[in-house]
Amino acid sequence: MRPLLLAVLLLAAAPGATQPQNAPQIVEVQLSSFAFTPSSLRLRAGAPVVLRLVNGANGGHNFSAPDFFAAATLAQGQNAAIARGTIEVPAHGTVEIALTPARGRYALRCTHTLHTAFGMRGEIVVE
């Protein structure tokens, strides 16, 4: 029995192993001083996604897209991470949020003082 279990585990961990079809896509966005990378996100309407927001900077940033979050269906328990359409990401921190996006084109920016002016803005396109 153990060799069979070991074989199954090795196959599941092997390069090229597929994710379950219903697993959400993970989309990582790097927040730095002063940019989002990528600055343009392309998502599929109705397809579950996990946004992984990674702040590599020494100061805090946020991911503000009020219209996007208002239109999306958030996974259970995700509301606490979002305040007025904005997610705060502390210095050297990571925040993940699971949701299902709705079709549309949405503005994205960091609302911290002057961060948008310095170029920390982008868009989210959901088709």
Side-chain angles (χ1 to χ4, degrees), residues 13 15 21-22 37 51 58 64 69 73 79 93:
Q21 285 185 343
N22 59 350
T37 306
L51 291 178
N58 290 327
S64 183
F69 289 121
T73 302
N79 290 347

Side-chain angles (χ1 to χ4, degrees), residues 27-32 35-43 49-55 60-69 81-90 95-97 99 106-112 115-116 120-125:
V27 176
E28 186 168 292
V29 180
Q30 297 286 324
L31 290 73
S32 62
F36 293 107
T37 306
S39 62
S40 180
L41 303 177
R42 294 206 172 275
L43 306 174
V49 65
V50 172
L51 291 178
R52 180 177 293 149
L53 309 175
V54 180
N55 182 358
H61 290 295
N62 66 34
F63 186 95
S64 183
D67 294 337
F68 171 72
F69 289 121
I82 303 170
R84 296 186 189 114
T86 300
I87 299 173
E88 292 295 328
V89 185
V95 176
E96 289 187 349
I97 183 110
L99 55 84
Y106 307 96
L108 165 65
R109 69 189 192 108
C110 178
T111 63
H112 290 199
H115 288 203
T116 301
M120 202 165 183
R121 61 185 166 277
E123 70 175 348
I124 303 168
V125 178

